[in-house]
Amino acid sequence: MGRPPLKKKSIERSALELFVEKGVDGTSIRDIASRAGVTEGALYRHHEGKDELIRALFIDHFQRFAELIAATQGAHKSFAETITKLVEVFFTLHDEDPPVFEFIMVARHRVLDEVRADEKNLVELVYRLVKDAIKNGEIPEQNPDLLTELMIGMVLQTTVGVRYQRLKLPLAKHAKAVARACLAAAGAKLPRN
Amino acid sequence: MGRPPLKKKSIERSALELFVEKGVDGTSIRDIASRAGVTEGALYRHHEGKDELIRALFIDHFQRFAELIAATQGAHKSFAETITKLVEVFFTLHDEDPPVFEFIMVARHRVLDEVRADEKNLVELVYRLVKDAIKNGEIPEQNPDLLTELMIGMVLQTTVGVRYQRLKLPLAKHAKAVARACLAAAGAKLPRN
Amino acid sequence: MGRPPLKKKSIERSALELFVEKGVDGTSIRDIASRAGVTEGALYRHHEGKDELIRALFIDHFQRFAELIAATQGAHKSFAETITKLVEVFFTLHDEDPPVFEFIMVARHRVLDEVRADEKNLVELVYRLVKDAIKNGEIPEQNPDLLTELMIGMVLQTTVGVRYQRLKLPLAKHAKAVARACLAAAGAKLPRN
Amino acid sequence: MGRPPLKKKSIERSALELFVEKGVDGTSIRDIASRAGVTEGALYRHHEGKDELIRALFIDHFQRFAELIAATQGAHKSFAETITKLVEVFFTLHDEDPPVFEFIMVARHRVLDEVRADEKNLVELVYRLVKDAIKNGEIPEQNPDLLTELMIGMVLQTTVGVRYQRLKLPLAKHAKAVARACLAAAGAKLPRN
DNA sequence: AATGAATGAGATTTCATTCAT
DNA sequence: AATGAATGAAATCTCATTCAT
């Protein structure tokens, strides 16, 4: 059962961090190897190349996102409850490992089509929630596309605030307030807190 | 006085568009020259290099942002009016030339310190508005940093929605609705529209 | 431990020779790589760039010069003996590897300050020998700076003569005669040979 | 009879100085134009290109060298007198305009063949003087090639000493002493001074 | 006579990748 | 599993020269 690949994790972690810090295109194999304390060739033992590494990192971590979000979807509750839950899930995901979260945000626009489909589902999920909420009369008649962007914007920008140290970790602390703001923006009757 | 700089504008415009389309790091000098219909060396007549070009483009266009926003600040009105005005200004800026707007958004994190100071002012401006509104009782007691991020998130994400064609131009059309959402998120009493 | 650096020596030797043949500015990375039988990028595995390569070559080889000359200094003998010894050392250094010697002569004016300090010491060494000899009455009262230049000029120009094939190798063969000329120029009583 | 070419002299002087300061290959047309206070194109009004400029500068100034030296040759005097005169001529040439002198020294190895012939004559001239002096018994039997290099080395290195501020201008002040050193090195009976 | 934009060739440098060790 | 030299392609940048103004 051979030695475990001691450096694989280190390479992947270094890559992920650098991709967030300097951008994917701004990070070279050398940068990654250097931070991981290995040489350039080592990376190719574990990954086919830079592209495949990015893809592997994305798919790996995106799993957890997809699972947690899918779980949220399952529980058929009110719009308010679902949105609140979703915000919590997002912030929890962020707090578990902020660099991973940021990498997913940064990389999602580059990773290939089949993955994009998944990513699209995220926007789509919120869109459907909004659409249903309007149909059910939970929130007033309005442009569902716009509301979708507004809510996503609030959640994502909160993570940006953390990155630039304008907000403090853990994000989960702010989940309730952000959820409330989303519902207020949607014109929902706020649940008593 | 020698040949007039026929290609300078073309180079700069091509660069700006490509930076938005393919990212700054993903765009090569050759890409830029090729789209501008010049040879690579031509760029160096007008700019010292890629870095300086990015910087120059940023500073150039950021001017207009700073001016318009400064003008908004001057008009001492209620929180609701100021926020509404600010959203309108932003969306107008975006609609005037969406690629320019997107470039500013994309480039602001790379451009050096003195410029960053200016960019910081934008966040700071909103922050001060929020702080004052809380003090004046226009909006309820709450974390001003968080609200700042939420409002900025809504405005920026709206422009992302346009980019991915989930929302249609002109953005200005959505200004009222976004402003209303910002105020709702802030817990302000909504002005009758 | 990876491939051994088969080409490093070749790159450095090629560079050194070309710098002498065509001048430092007249030699391109491509010239060097081509003579060394490698691609241009190979150079950057071993050196940061052209400047650092020049510097590294200089420092490397200058070591030997400094050591041999320092050794000569130690032996406290008469002016005549010291000068004779110095000329011999120089010519021996030259004969060991004329291209290296010539490179050192060519490069010394471009290499940065800390190295220049060392180089200065060479002139300084001769200067001090001259000064002392005047004080001790070994040679007549005269401008020590001028005599220093005269003696250095004789030694260096002899190496130029070799390069243009007006003199034949080995230079060491001429050491006695050159030393005698130096002493004559200094007005020293010539030692019987 | 048109305007005089105001900038021609400025371009040529700037070029000459820069060639001395930074080397011929290290000096760009831009450098030259910039120091001359003109733009790049201006140079091409007066010269065909960089190569021709170098050549023109060399030939121009070399004239004076050739003339003065030829004049020295004409006067058939003793070896001692001729050498003394030659050193004076050289140092006078240097003092008239040190940058010009240095440029001639620096450029002589690059300028094409027919000029090289002339330059060769300089070494050759000294060589013939030495040869004759040996034949006439003015100086002892010795290697005439070596003595030629020694004397040239003394004269040239003296100019280097000035450049590095180890000797003070005017060089002519040192002519007598250098001539005496040359004669001493040659083993000539020194003329009473 | 001079300008300075633009060219085109080439120089320097970077970098993902391969491969012998 | 890992090394690190070397490759080859591409990226950035320089520069002598040309040419419209």
Side-chain angles (χ1 to χ4, degrees):
Chain A
M1 31 183 131
R3 281 171 287 175
L6 281 171
K7 298 299 191 175
K8 187 177 182 191
K9 286 283 169 256
S10 174
I11 288 167
E12 291 179 347
R13 185 69 194 181
S14 302
L16 189 138
E17 288 173 3
L18 284 163
F19 289 157
V20 170
E21 287 169 28
K22 315 183 9 171
V24 170
D25 289 315
T27 299
S28 69
I29 299 288
R30 237 187 162 146
D31 290 335
I32 297 168
S34 159
R35 176 170 300 191
V38 297
T39 50
E40 293 141 286
L43 190 146
Y44 292 86
R45 178 68 37 189
H46 307 291
H47 293 280
E48 281 171 30
K50 196 183 175 182
D51 282 349
E52 192 272 336
L53 168 61
I54 295 164
R55 207 187 150 63
L57 284 175
F58 187 87
I59 292 173
D60 249 37
H61 292 112
F62 193 74
Q63 284 305 340
R64 178 135 177 78
F65 279 57
E67 283 163 20
L68 270 191
I69 286 159
T72 308
Q73 269 186 287
H76 301 287
K77 301 170 193 169
S78 72
F79 179 70
E81 281 167 316
T82 311
I83 290 299
T84 303
K85 187 70 192 157
L86 264 177
V87 174
E88 272 166 16
V89 162
F90 253 79
F91 285 3
T92 303
L93 278 167
H94 176 276
D95 288 342
E96 274 179 12
D97 195 335
V100 163
F101 186 92
E102 285 175 33
F103 169 71
I104 293 294
M105 293 302 123
V106 161
R108 78 203 140 116
H109 298 308
R110 330 179 35 112
V111 182
L112 336 293
D113 304 310
E114 83 243 43
V115 180
R116 266 212 190 140
D118 261 333
E119 129 79 0
K120 210 171 172 179
N121 291 346
L122 245 158
V123 177
E124 211 97 317
L125 161 61
V126 176
Y127 178 77
R128 264 180 285 113
L129 289 175
V130 166
K131 206 82 188 266
D132 289 348
I134 294 173
K135 200 168 66 183
N136 300 342
E138 289 179 281
I139 59 175
E141 199 72 34
Q142 62 189 296
N143 181 339
D145 284 302
L146 181 61
L147 180 57
T148 300
E149 299 297 339
L150 293 177
M151 297 198 304
I152 289 173
M154 283 189 267
V155 172
L156 294 187
Q157 185 67 22
T158 308
T159 70
V160 174
V162 171
R163 190 165 183 205
Y164 287 95
Q165 281 146 15
R166 297 187 296 249
L167 294 177
K168 277 182 220 144
L169 281 173
L171 257 191
K173 204 175 53 188
H174 302 296
K176 280 261 148 54
V178 172
R180 221 179 300 125
C182 285
L183 295 172
K189 280 144 217 112
L190 293 181
R192 269 159 259 145
N193 198 26
Chain B
M1 251 193 251
R3 215 183 280 192
L6 284 171
K7 299 297 192 174
K8 187 179 183 193
K9 287 276 170 271
S10 173
I11 288 167
E12 292 178 347
R13 184 70 194 182
S14 302
L16 189 139
E17 288 172 4
L18 285 163
F19 289 155
V20 170
E21 288 169 28
K22 313 179 22 169
V24 170
D25 288 314
T27 300
S28 70
I29 300 287
R30 180 170 298 208
D31 289 336
I32 297 168
S34 157
R35 177 171 299 191
V38 294
T39 52
E40 288 151 271
L43 190 147
Y44 294 87
R45 166 79 28 197
H46 306 291
H47 294 282
E48 278 172 32
K50 198 180 169 181
D51 281 351
E52 192 273 338
L53 168 60
I54 295 164
R55 206 185 153 63
L57 285 175
F58 186 88
I59 291 173
D60 250 37
H61 292 113
F62 194 75
Q63 286 303 340
R64 179 135 177 77
F65 280 56
E67 283 163 22
L68 270 190
I69 287 157
T72 307
Q73 267 185 288
H76 300 285
K77 301 170 194 168
S78 71
F79 180 69
E81 281 167 317
T82 310
I83 291 298
T84 304
K85 187 69 194 157
L86 265 178
V87 174
E88 272 165 18
V89 162
F90 251 80
F91 286 3
T92 303
L93 276 167
H94 177 276
D95 289 341
E96 272 179 14
D97 195 334
V100 163
F101 187 93
E102 285 174 33
F103 169 71
I104 292 293
M105 293 303 126
V106 162
R108 81 205 138 116
H109 297 309
R110 322 178 46 110
V111 181
L112 337 293
D113 303 309
E114 84 240 44
V115 180
R116 267 210 187 143
D118 260 333
E119 128 80 1
K120 211 172 173 179
N121 290 346
L122 245 158
V123 177
E124 210 99 315
L125 161 60
V126 176
Y127 178 77
R128 264 180 285 115
L129 290 174
V130 166
K131 206 84 189 265
D132 288 348
I134 293 174
K135 200 168 66 183
N136 300 342
E138 291 178 280
I139 60 176
E141 199 73 33
Q142 61 189 297
N143 181 341
D145 285 302
L146 181 61
L147 180 57
T148 299
E149 299 296 338
L150 293 177
M151 296 198 306
I152 288 173
M154 284 189 265
V155 171
L156 294 187
Q157 185 67 23
T158 309
T159 70
V160 174
V162 171
R163 190 164 183 207
Y164 287 94
Q165 282 147 16
R166 297 187 297 249
L167 295 176
K168 275 181 221 146
L169 280 173
L171 255 191
K173 204 174 52 188
H174 302 295
K176 280 263 151 50
V178 172
R180 223 178 299 123
C182 285
L183 295 172
K189 279 146 218 109
L190 292 182
R192 269 160 257 143
N193 197 28
Chain C
M1 252 192 250
R3 216 182 279 192
L6 286 169
K7 300 297 193 172
K8 186 178 184 193
K9 287 276 169 271
S10 173
I11 288 167
E12 291 177 349
R13 185 70 194 181
S14 303
L16 189 139
E17 288 172 5
L18 284 163
F19 289 155
V20 170
E21 288 170 28
K22 315 182 16 170
V24 170
D25 289 315
T27 300
S28 70
I29 301 287
R30 180 170 299 208
D31 289 336
I32 297 168
S34 156
R35 177 171 297 191
V38 294
T39 52
E40 289 150 272
L43 190 146
Y44 294 87
R45 165 79 29 196
H46 306 292
H47 295 282
E48 277 170 34
K50 199 179 171 183
D51 282 351
E52 191 274 337
L53 168 61
I54 295 164
R55 204 185 153 66
L57 285 175
F58 187 88
I59 291 173
D60 251 37
H61 293 112
F62 194 76
Q63 286 302 340
R64 179 137 176 75
F65 280 56
E67 283 163 21
L68 270 190
I69 286 158
T72 308
Q73 268 187 284
H76 301 285
K77 301 168 193 169
S78 72
F79 180 69
E81 282 167 315
T82 310
I83 290 298
T84 304
K85 186 71 193 155
L86 264 177
V87 174
E88 274 166 15
V89 162
F90 251 80
F91 285 3
T92 303
L93 276 166
H94 177 277
D95 289 342
E96 273 180 13
D97 195 336
V100 163
F101 187 93
E102 284 174 34
F103 169 72
I104 292 292
M105 292 303 126
V106 162
R108 79 204 137 116
H109 297 310
R110 325 178 41 112
V111 180
L112 336 297
D113 303 309
E114 83 240 45
V115 179
R116 267 210 187 144
D118 259 333
E119 130 80 0
K120 209 170 174 180
N121 290 347
L122 245 158
V123 178
E124 211 95 320
L125 161 61
V126 176
Y127 178 78
R128 263 179 286 115
L129 290 175
V130 167
K131 206 86 189 263
D132 288 349
I134 293 173
K135 201 168 65 185
N136 300 342
E138 290 179 280
I139 61 176
E141 200 74 33
Q142 61 190 296
N143 180 342
D145 285 302
L146 181 61
L147 180 55
T148 300
E149 300 296 338
L150 293 177
M151 296 199 304
I152 288 173
M154 283 189 267
V155 172
L156 294 187
Q157 185 67 23
T158 309
T159 70
V160 174
V162 172
R163 187 163 185 209
Y164 288 95
Q165 281 147 14
R166 298 188 295 250
L167 295 175
K168 276 182 222 142
L169 281 173
L171 257 190
K173 204 175 53 190
H174 302 296
K176 281 263 152 48
V178 172
R180 222 180 298 124
C182 285
L183 295 172
K189 280 145 216 110
L190 292 181
R192 269 160 258 142
N193 199 27
Chain D
M1 28 181 130
R3 282 170 287 177
L6 281 171
K7 298 299 190 176
K8 187 177 184 192
K9 286 283 169 253
S10 173
I11 288 167
E12 291 179 348
R13 184 69 194 181
S14 302
L16 189 139
E17 289 173 2
L18 284 163
F19 289 156
V20 170
E21 288 169 28
K22 315 183 10 173
V24 171
D25 288 316
T27 299
S28 69
I29 299 287
R30 240 189 158 143
D31 290 335
I32 297 169
S34 158
R35 178 170 299 192
V38 296
T39 51
E40 293 141 287
L43 190 146
Y44 293 85
R45 179 68 37 189
H46 306 290
H47 293 281
E48 279 170 33
K50 196 181 175 183
D51 282 349
E52 191 273 336
L53 168 61
I54 295 163
R55 208 186 149 64
L57 284 175
F58 187 87
I59 291 174
D60 249 37
H61 293 112
F62 194 75
Q63 285 303 340
R64 179 134 177 79
F65 279 56
E67 284 163 19
L68 271 190
I69 286 157
T72 308
Q73 270 186 283
H76 300 287
K77 303 169 193 169
S78 73
F79 180 69
E81 283 167 316
T82 311
I83 290 298
T84 304
K85 188 70 194 156
L86 263 178
V87 174
E88 274 165 15
V89 162
F90 252 80
F91 285 3
T92 302
L93 277 166
H94 176 277
D95 288 342
E96 275 180 10
D97 195 335
V100 163
F101 186 92
E102 286 175 33
F103 170 71
I104 293 294
M105 292 302 124
V106 161
R108 77 203 140 118
H109 297 308
R110 331 178 35 111
V111 180
L112 334 297
D113 304 308
E114 84 244 44
V115 180
R116 267 212 187 140
D118 260 332
E119 129 79 1
K120 209 172 174 179
N121 290 348
L122 245 158
V123 178
E124 211 96 319
L125 162 60
V126 176
Y127 180 77
R128 263 179 286 114
L129 291 174
V130 166
K131 208 83 188 266
D132 289 350
I134 293 172
K135 200 168 64 186
N136 301 341
E138 289 178 281
I139 60 176
E141 199 73 33
Q142 62 190 296
N143 182 339
D145 285 301
L146 182 61
L147 180 56
T148 301
E149 299 296 338
L150 293 177
M151 296 199 305
I152 288 174
M154 283 190 268
V155 172
L156 294 187
Q157 185 68 22
T158 310
T159 70
V160 173
V162 172
R163 190 166 183 205
Y164 287 94
Q165 281 146 17
R166 297 188 296 250
L167 295 176
K168 277 183 220 143
L169 282 172
L171 259 191
K173 203 173 51 187
H174 303 295
K176 280 260 148 56
V178 172
R180 222 179 298 124
C182 285
L183 295 172
K189 281 145 217 112
L190 292 181
R192 270 161 257 143
N193 198 25

